Amino acid sequence: MVYIAQTALELGTIYALVSLALFLSFRILNIADLTTDGCFVLGAAVSVSFAAKGHPCIGVVMGMLAGGCAGFVTAFLHTRMGVPDILAGIITNTGLYTINLMAMGWSSNISLLKKETIFSLFKKTGIGGSWYPLVLSAVIVGLCMVLMRLFLSTRLGLSIRATGDNRDMVAASSIDSRYTITVGLVISNMMTGLSGALAGQFQRAADINSGNSIVVIGLACLIIGETVIHGQKSLTRNIIAVLVGNIIYRFIYAVILRTGLIPVESLKLMTAIIVAIAIGAPAMKEALAYRTRAHREG
C-alpha cells in the first residue's frame, strides 16, 4: 500500500503540471489547446536527449523552453493567421510528431540507461530518503503553482483573465488580446513541456507515443480536483485542485495496476470510463440536484 501511495504521489505531482497548463489555457483563457499531447512528448524528448549527453539539468530547462516555443506557434496560428484555436492546436500537434522524432535522433524512443538524471543527482544529496523523487518534484511543482498564482494577480495576469472572460470587452479597453493570448499559451505549454521533461527523466525514457491522451487525462484530473475541492471558487483553491485531482487519478490507476482487479488489456477502457465519469460528473450532479428540487416542489 505504501508503494502504491508513493507511486501515485510521485506521478500525480509530475503530471499535475499538465493540468496546471490546461487550467490556464482552458479555464482562464477559454481556449481548447490541443497542442498538449505533442508538447508533452517534446519536453520529454528534449530533456532526455540532453540528459543522454550528460546535461540533465539543462535538459529540463530546454524541455520547458521547447514547450513554450510550441505554444507560441499555436498562438501565432490563432492570433495572427486567424486559424480557430482547436485547429491551431491540431496543426501544431501534427507538426510536432516530426519535431519530436528529430529531437530523439529520428528514433521512436530514447533511453537513459546508466545515465544521470536530475532525480539521480538529487538522490546523492540524501534528502528525502527513498522518497527523493517526490521531494524534488513536489518542490518544482509547488514553486510553479505559487508562481502561477502570483502571476495571475499581476496586471498582465489580470489582462489574461479578462481576455478569457470577454475578448470584446478587452479589445474595447485598449488591451491587445492577441498579446495576452500569446503569453497565456506560451506559459501554458511551458508547463506542459516541463511536465514532459520531468516525466522523461523520472521514467528514464522518452517515447513518441507517451503523450497519447494526455490532454484528456489532464482535463479529467482538473475536473476531479475541482469536484473534490468544492465550495467558494478562488484561484488558490483551483490551483490546489489541479494537484489533488492528479493524485487521486494516479492513485486509482496505481491500485488497478498493483492489485490486478482489471486485466492489463482493459486499462485503456478503464481510463476512458474514469475520464468520462470525471468530465460528466458536474453535469450529472447538476441534473440530479434539479430532479431532486423538482420532486420536492412537485
Side-chain angles (χ1 to χ4, degrees), residues 78-160:
H78 176 53
T79 61
R80 303 292 177 175
M81 298 184 66
V83 180
D85 52 7
I86 294 180
L87 289 180
I90 292 175
I91 292 171
T92 305
N93 191 42
T94 302
L96 282 176
Y97 188 88
T98 301
I99 301 298
N100 293 336
L101 284 175
M102 187 186 303
M104 292 189 289
W106 301 107
S107 173
S108 60
N109 56 72
I110 183 173
S111 175
L112 288 178
L113 184 64
K114 297 182 180 180
K115 297 289 185 178
E116 293 282 10
T117 67
I118 58 169
F119 293 99
S120 63
L121 291 175
F122 185 75
K123 181 181 180 180
K124 294 178 181 179
T125 65
I127 300 175
S130 61
W131 293 75
Y132 69 92
L134 176 61
V135 174
L136 178 58
S137 58
V139 169
I140 296 174
V141 174
L143 180 61
C144 289
M145 293 171 67
V146 171
L147 290 176
M148 177 69 77
R149 178 63 183 86
L150 294 175
F151 171 72
L152 290 175
S153 298
T154 63
R155 184 173 183 176
L156 177 57
L158 291 172
S159 297
I160 291 175

Side-chain angles (χ1 to χ4, degrees), residues 184-207:
L185 288 181
V186 167
I187 294 176
S188 171
N189 283 279
M190 284 178 70
M191 295 297 100
T192 302
L194 178 58
S195 179
L198 293 175
Q201 293 201 29
F202 177 73
Q203 297 168 349
R204 289 184 167 273
D207 187 271

